[in-house]
Amino acid sequence: MAGAFISFEGIDGSGKTTQARLLAEHLRALGLPVTLTREPGGSPGAEDIRRLVLEGDPDRWSPETEILLFTAARRDHLEKTIRPALGRNDILITDRFADSTRMYQGLRGSRDMVDRLHDLVIGVDPDLTFLIDIDPALGHSRAVARAGLEQRFEDMGLALQTAMRAGFLDLAARHPRFAVIDGAREASVVATDVLTRARAHLGV
Ligand code: TYD
């Protein structure tokens, strides 16, 4: 086994951050080299951009400006964190990647702009993507329970989360790299499901 690029995706409150962390722990316990990272962020420059996009008024940026900011952050993350980790043959696990831009910005602005910019400056997608799927009402209640500063997208409301859930499922149906996981179950049960699929993919 030599390196792998795995992402976690889902609507706000889906539990994917917990699942990304648990998968990293479980694979490390098997003696495998893992780099766990996240978007927006995952490198010092991209973490600076994270603060710009996640804090403040929901109307602070247009969807098109957001595409540029998230993609700039992703480019830095790719250069500074993802490519070096894959070069070491690590298993790179990222909490969100380009599918988030396809949904969060693509459904509110121009999906065509997202895709063209991705092809131009990113050009790669994970080889395995876990979509942690949940009912937006459940996701919303979880997200509200831990409300903090990084609220811009949660504040856009249930209608957007509902559209994004459908959009993520549609994306998953079109691309074989996706594994759709029922995220409404207890975290440890979800984690076992995720680990089984990851081990099958990695051949370990
Ligand atoms: P994240 O830290 O994953 O938040 P959570 O753990 O609450 O899911 O992501 C923060 C927000 O950024 C989330 O609401 C989704 C949004 N986002 C985009 O809109 N576009 C993107 O390309 C990415 C990576 C995230």
Side-chain angles (χ1 to χ4, degrees), residues 18-40:
T18 303
Q19 293 304 324
R21 182 176 52 76
L22 290 173
L23 179 62
E25 284 173 12
H26 290 150
L27 293 177
R28 282 180 185 137
L30 294 170
L32 297 165
V34 174
T35 295
L36 175 63
T37 183
R38 69 162 180 186
E39 287 203 357

PDB file of all heavy atoms in Angstrom, residues 18-40:
ATOM      1  N   THR A  18     -15.787  14.465  13.363  1.00  0.00           N
ATOM      2  CA  THR A  18     -15.568  13.362  14.317  1.00  0.00           C
ATOM      3  C   THR A  18     -15.140  12.104  13.573  1.00  0.00           C
ATOM      4  O   THR A  18     -14.201  11.406  13.984  1.00  0.00           O
ATOM      5  CB  THR A  18     -16.876  13.071  15.095  1.00  0.00           C
ATOM      6  OG1 THR A  18     -17.282  14.275  15.741  1.00  0.00           O
ATOM      7  CG2 THR A  18     -16.698  11.959  16.106  1.00  0.00           C
ATOM      8  N   GLN A  19     -15.806  11.815  12.472  1.00  0.00           N
ATOM      9  CA  GLN A  19     -15.494  10.587  11.726  1.00  0.00           C
ATOM     10  C   GLN A  19     -14.113  10.636  11.092  1.00  0.00           C
ATOM     11  O   GLN A  19     -13.405   9.628  11.041  1.00  0.00           O
ATOM     12  CB  GLN A  19     -16.580  10.322  10.670  1.00  0.00           C
ATOM     13  CG  GLN A  19     -17.936   9.980  11.271  1.00  0.00           C
ATOM     14  CD  GLN A  19     -17.873   8.788  12.222  1.00  0.00           C
ATOM     15  OE1 GLN A  19     -17.113   7.835  11.995  1.00  0.00           O
ATOM     16  NE2 GLN A  19     -18.653   8.822  13.283  1.00  0.00           N
ATOM     17  N   ALA A  20     -13.698  11.795  10.608  1.00  0.00           N
ATOM     18  CA  ALA A  20     -12.357  11.926  10.021  1.00  0.00           C
ATOM     19  C   ALA A  20     -11.305  11.660  11.102  1.00  0.00           C
ATOM     20  O   ALA A  20     -10.324  10.946  10.882  1.00  0.00           O
ATOM     21  CB  ALA A  20     -12.180  13.318   9.415  1.00  0.00           C
ATOM     22  N   ARG A  21     -11.538  12.209  12.289  1.00  0.00           N
ATOM     23  CA  ARG A  21     -10.615  12.020  13.406  1.00  0.00           C
ATOM     24  C   ARG A  21     -10.549  10.552  13.832  1.00  0.00           C
ATOM     25  O   ARG A  21      -9.472   9.996  14.036  1.00  0.00           O
ATOM     26  CB  ARG A  21     -11.035  12.907  14.587  1.00  0.00           C
ATOM     27  CG  ARG A  21     -10.120  12.840  15.789  1.00  0.00           C
ATOM     28  CD  ARG A  21     -10.533  13.811  16.898  1.00  0.00           C
ATOM     29  NE  ARG A  21     -11.940  13.714  17.297  1.00  0.00           N
ATOM     30  CZ  ARG A  21     -12.444  12.736  18.059  1.00  0.00           C
ATOM     31  NH1 ARG A  21     -11.667  11.773  18.515  1.00  0.00           N
ATOM     32  NH2 ARG A  21     -13.736  12.731  18.366  1.00  0.00           N
ATOM     33  N   LEU A  22     -11.717   9.907  13.936  1.00  0.00           N
ATOM     34  CA  LEU A  22     -11.746   8.497  14.359  1.00  0.00           C
ATOM     35  C   LEU A  22     -11.071   7.605  13.327  1.00  0.00           C
ATOM     36  O   LEU A  22     -10.330   6.679  13.689  1.00  0.00           O
ATOM     37  CB  LEU A  22     -13.198   8.046  14.607  1.00  0.00           C
ATOM     38  CG  LEU A  22     -13.865   8.654  15.846  1.00  0.00           C
ATOM     39  CD1 LEU A  22     -15.346   8.264  15.887  1.00  0.00           C
ATOM     40  CD2 LEU A  22     -13.168   8.200  17.129  1.00  0.00           C
ATOM     41  N   LEU A  23     -11.284   7.877  12.040  1.00  0.00           N
ATOM     42  CA  LEU A  23     -10.622   7.055  11.019  1.00  0.00           C
ATOM     43  C   LEU A  23      -9.106   7.217  11.123  1.00  0.00           C
ATOM     44  O   LEU A  23      -8.363   6.236  11.048  1.00  0.00           O
ATOM     45  CB  LEU A  23     -11.106   7.418   9.606  1.00  0.00           C
ATOM     46  CG  LEU A  23     -10.429   6.593   8.496  1.00  0.00           C
ATOM     47  CD1 LEU A  23     -10.740   5.092   8.636  1.00  0.00           C
ATOM     48  CD2 LEU A  23     -10.832   7.092   7.105  1.00  0.00           C
ATOM     49  N   ALA A  24      -8.650   8.449  11.322  1.00  0.00           N
ATOM     50  CA  ALA A  24      -7.199   8.680  11.475  1.00  0.00           C
ATOM     51  C   ALA A  24      -6.663   7.881  12.661  1.00  0.00           C
ATOM     52  O   ALA A  24      -5.640   7.199  12.557  1.00  0.00           O
ATOM     53  CB  ALA A  24      -6.925  10.171  11.651  1.00  0.00           C
ATOM     54  N   GLU A  25      -7.381   7.925  13.785  1.00  0.00           N
ATOM     55  CA  GLU A  25      -6.935   7.182  14.982  1.00  0.00           C
ATOM     56  C   GLU A  25      -6.885   5.683  14.719  1.00  0.00           C
ATOM     57  O   GLU A  25      -5.928   5.001  15.097  1.00  0.00           O
ATOM     58  CB  GLU A  25      -7.882   7.452  16.162  1.00  0.00           C
ATOM     59  CG  GLU A  25      -7.673   8.809  16.799  1.00  0.00           C
ATOM     60  CD  GLU A  25      -8.740   9.125  17.866  1.00  0.00           C
ATOM     61  OE1 GLU A  25      -9.502   8.208  18.280  1.00  0.00           O
ATOM     62  OE2 GLU A  25      -8.812  10.304  18.270  1.00  0.00           O
ATOM     63  N   HIS A  26      -7.925   5.168  14.067  1.00  0.00           N
ATOM     64  CA  HIS A  26      -8.001   3.717  13.836  1.00  0.00           C
ATOM     65  C   HIS A  26      -6.911   3.246  12.882  1.00  0.00           C
ATOM     66  O   HIS A  26      -6.319   2.189  13.081  1.00  0.00           O
ATOM     67  CB  HIS A  26      -9.387   3.341  13.311  1.00  0.00           C
ATOM     68  CG  HIS A  26     -10.466   3.483  14.344  1.00  0.00           C
ATOM     69  ND1 HIS A  26     -11.776   3.798  14.036  1.00  0.00           N
ATOM     70  CD2 HIS A  26     -10.422   3.363  15.695  1.00  0.00           C
ATOM     71  CE1 HIS A  26     -12.488   3.868  15.162  1.00  0.00           C
ATOM     72  NE2 HIS A  26     -11.683   3.603  16.178  1.00  0.00           N
ATOM     73  N   LEU A  27      -6.621   4.033  11.845  1.00  0.00           N
ATOM     74  CA  LEU A  27      -5.580   3.629  10.892  1.00  0.00           C
ATOM     75  C   LEU A  27      -4.192   3.730  11.534  1.00  0.00           C
ATOM     76  O   LEU A  27      -3.336   2.881  11.305  1.00  0.00           O
ATOM     77  CB  LEU A  27      -5.666   4.464   9.618  1.00  0.00           C
ATOM     78  CG  LEU A  27      -6.924   4.235   8.773  1.00  0.00           C
ATOM     79  CD1 LEU A  27      -6.944   5.184   7.564  1.00  0.00           C
ATOM     80  CD2 LEU A  27      -7.044   2.790   8.289  1.00  0.00           C
ATOM     81  N   ARG A  28      -4.001   4.764  12.367  1.00  0.00           N
ATOM     82  CA  ARG A  28      -2.710   4.878  13.081  1.00  0.00           C
ATOM     83  C   ARG A  28      -2.512   3.696  14.023  1.00  0.00           C
ATOM     84  O   ARG A  28      -1.403   3.185  14.163  1.00  0.00           O
ATOM     85  CB  ARG A  28      -2.645   6.183  13.874  1.00  0.00           C
ATOM     86  CG  ARG A  28      -2.347   7.387  12.978  1.00  0.00           C
ATOM     87  CD  ARG A  28      -2.294   8.686  13.780  1.00  0.00           C
ATOM     88  NE  ARG A  28      -2.133   9.821  12.886  1.00  0.00           N
ATOM     89  CZ  ARG A  28      -2.797  10.969  12.998  1.00  0.00           C
ATOM     90  NH1 ARG A  28      -3.666  11.154  13.986  1.00  0.00           N
ATOM     91  NH2 ARG A  28      -2.594  11.941  12.134  1.00  0.00           N
ATOM     92  N   ALA A  29      -3.612   3.271  14.649  1.00  0.00           N
ATOM     93  CA  ALA A  29      -3.522   2.116  15.559  1.00  0.00           C
ATOM     94  C   ALA A  29      -3.131   0.845  14.809  1.00  0.00           C
ATOM     95  O   ALA A  29      -2.593  -0.097  15.404  1.00  0.00           O
ATOM     96  CB  ALA A  29      -4.854   1.920  16.290  1.00  0.00           C
ATOM     97  N   LEU A  30      -3.385   0.809  13.500  1.00  0.00           N
ATOM     98  CA  LEU A  30      -2.947  -0.329  12.676  1.00  0.00           C
ATOM     99  C   LEU A  30      -1.498  -0.160  12.221  1.00  0.00           C
ATOM    100  O   LEU A  30      -0.984  -0.964  11.453  1.00  0.00           O
ATOM    101  CB  LEU A  30      -3.851  -0.467  11.446  1.00  0.00           C
ATOM    102  CG  LEU A  30      -5.316  -0.848  11.684  1.00  0.00           C
ATOM    103  CD1 LEU A  30      -6.126  -0.713  10.394  1.00  0.00           C
ATOM    104  CD2 LEU A  30      -5.406  -2.280  12.221  1.00  0.00           C
ATOM    105  N   GLY A  31      -0.865   0.937  12.660  1.00  0.00           N
ATOM    106  CA  GLY A  31       0.532   1.171  12.305  1.00  0.00           C
ATOM    107  C   GLY A  31       0.724   1.891  10.982  1.00  0.00           C
ATOM    108  O   GLY A  31       1.833   1.934  10.447  1.00  0.00           O
ATOM    109  N   LEU A  32      -0.355   2.472  10.453  1.00  0.00           N
ATOM    110  CA  LEU A  32      -0.259   3.141   9.149  1.00  0.00           C
ATOM    111  C   LEU A  32       0.039   4.630   9.321  1.00  0.00           C
ATOM    112  O   LEU A  32      -0.424   5.254  10.279  1.00  0.00           O
ATOM    113  CB  LEU A  32      -1.579   2.947   8.382  1.00  0.00           C
ATOM    114  CG  LEU A  32      -1.907   1.484   8.059  1.00  0.00           C
ATOM    115  CD1 LEU A  32      -3.366   1.336   7.635  1.00  0.00           C
ATOM    116  CD2 LEU A  32      -0.984   0.962   6.962  1.00  0.00           C
ATOM    117  N   PRO A  33       0.806   5.226   8.397  1.00  0.00           N
ATOM    118  CA  PRO A  33       1.115   6.657   8.480  1.00  0.00           C
ATOM    119  C   PRO A  33      -0.064   7.498   7.967  1.00  0.00           C
ATOM    120  O   PRO A  33      -0.528   7.307   6.842  1.00  0.00           O
ATOM    121  CB  PRO A  33       2.331   6.808   7.551  1.00  0.00           C
ATOM    122  CG  PRO A  33       2.187   5.702   6.550  1.00  0.00           C
ATOM    123  CD  PRO A  33       1.446   4.581   7.236  1.00  0.00           C
ATOM    124  N   VAL A  34      -0.551   8.407   8.809  1.00  0.00           N
ATOM    125  CA  VAL A  34      -1.731   9.202   8.461  1.00  0.00           C
ATOM    126  C   VAL A  34      -1.433  10.687   8.642  1.00  0.00           C
ATOM    127  O   VAL A  34      -0.846  11.083   9.643  1.00  0.00           O
ATOM    128  CB  VAL A  34      -2.934   8.822   9.358  1.00  0.00           C
ATOM    129  CG1 VAL A  34      -4.128   9.742   9.094  1.00  0.00           C
ATOM    130  CG2 VAL A  34      -3.328   7.367   9.154  1.00  0.00           C
ATOM    131  N   THR A  35      -1.847  11.498   7.689  1.00  0.00           N
ATOM    132  CA  THR A  35      -1.893  12.952   7.873  1.00  0.00           C
ATOM    133  C   THR A  35      -3.361  13.345   7.871  1.00  0.00           C
ATOM    134  O   THR A  35      -4.087  13.068   6.913  1.00  0.00           O
ATOM    135  CB  THR A  35      -1.150  13.692   6.735  1.00  0.00           C
ATOM    136  OG1 THR A  35       0.230  13.359   6.797  1.00  0.00           O
ATOM    137  CG2 THR A  35      -1.303  15.203   6.876  1.00  0.00           C
ATOM    138  N   LEU A  36      -3.805  13.967   8.981  1.00  0.00           N
ATOM    139  CA  LEU A  36      -5.201  14.421   9.094  1.00  0.00           C
ATOM    140  C   LEU A  36      -5.233  15.930   8.926  1.00  0.00           C
ATOM    141  O   LEU A  36      -4.503  16.648   9.603  1.00  0.00           O
ATOM    142  CB  LEU A  36      -5.750  14.032  10.470  1.00  0.00           C
ATOM    143  CG  LEU A  36      -7.162  14.535  10.812  1.00  0.00           C
ATOM    144  CD1 LEU A  36      -8.220  13.958   9.863  1.00  0.00           C
ATOM    145  CD2 LEU A  36      -7.515  14.177  12.264  1.00  0.00           C
ATOM    146  N   THR A  37      -6.077  16.396   8.021  1.00  0.00           N
ATOM    147  CA  THR A  37      -6.123  17.827   7.757  1.00  0.00           C
ATOM    148  C   THR A  37      -7.566  18.264   7.477  1.00  0.00           C
ATOM    149  O   THR A  37      -8.477  17.444   7.566  1.00  0.00           O
ATOM    150  CB  THR A  37      -5.135  18.152   6.605  1.00  0.00           C
ATOM    151  OG1 THR A  37      -5.107  19.541   6.369  1.00  0.00           O
ATOM    152  CG2 THR A  37      -5.521  17.453   5.311  1.00  0.00           C
ATOM    153  N   ARG A  38      -7.762  19.555   7.198  1.00  0.00           N
ATOM    154  CA  ARG A  38      -9.138  20.039   7.020  1.00  0.00           C
ATOM    155  C   ARG A  38      -9.182  21.213   6.061  1.00  0.00           C
ATOM    156  O   ARG A  38      -8.178  21.875   5.807  1.00  0.00           O
ATOM    157  CB  ARG A  38      -9.712  20.483   8.360  1.00  0.00           C
ATOM    158  CG  ARG A  38      -9.031  21.763   8.875  1.00  0.00           C
ATOM    159  CD  ARG A  38      -9.858  22.432   9.930  1.00  0.00           C
ATOM    160  NE  ARG A  38      -9.226  23.646  10.443  1.00  0.00           N
ATOM    161  CZ  ARG A  38      -9.698  24.355  11.456  1.00  0.00           C
ATOM    162  NH1 ARG A  38     -10.786  23.963  12.077  1.00  0.00           N
ATOM    163  NH2 ARG A  38      -9.079  25.458  11.845  1.00  0.00           N
ATOM    164  N   GLU A  39     -10.383  21.465   5.550  1.00  0.00           N
ATOM    165  CA  GLU A  39     -10.626  22.656   4.734  1.00  0.00           C
ATOM    166  C   GLU A  39     -11.886  23.354   5.239  1.00  0.00           C
ATOM    167  O   GLU A  39     -12.791  22.689   5.713  1.00  0.00           O
ATOM    168  CB  GLU A  39     -10.829  22.266   3.274  1.00  0.00           C
ATOM    169  CG  GLU A  39      -9.553  21.836   2.609  1.00  0.00           C
ATOM    170  CD  GLU A  39      -9.606  21.985   1.093  1.00  0.00           C
ATOM    171  OE1 GLU A  39     -10.665  22.364   0.547  1.00  0.00           O
ATOM    172  OE2 GLU A  39      -8.577  21.752   0.470  1.00  0.00           O
ATOM    173  N   PRO A  40     -12.008  24.666   5.050  1.00  0.00           N
ATOM    174  CA  PRO A  40     -10.911  25.518   4.623  1.00  0.00           C
ATOM    175  C   PRO A  40      -9.815  25.533   5.689  1.00  0.00           C
ATOM    176  O   PRO A  40     -10.111  25.547   6.875  1.00  0.00           O
ATOM    177  CB  PRO A  40     -11.565  26.898   4.467  1.00  0.00           C
ATOM    178  CG  PRO A  40     -12.799  26.843   5.314  1.00  0.00           C
ATOM    179  CD  PRO A  40     -13.248  25.419   5.303  1.00  0.00           C
TER     180      PRO A  40
END
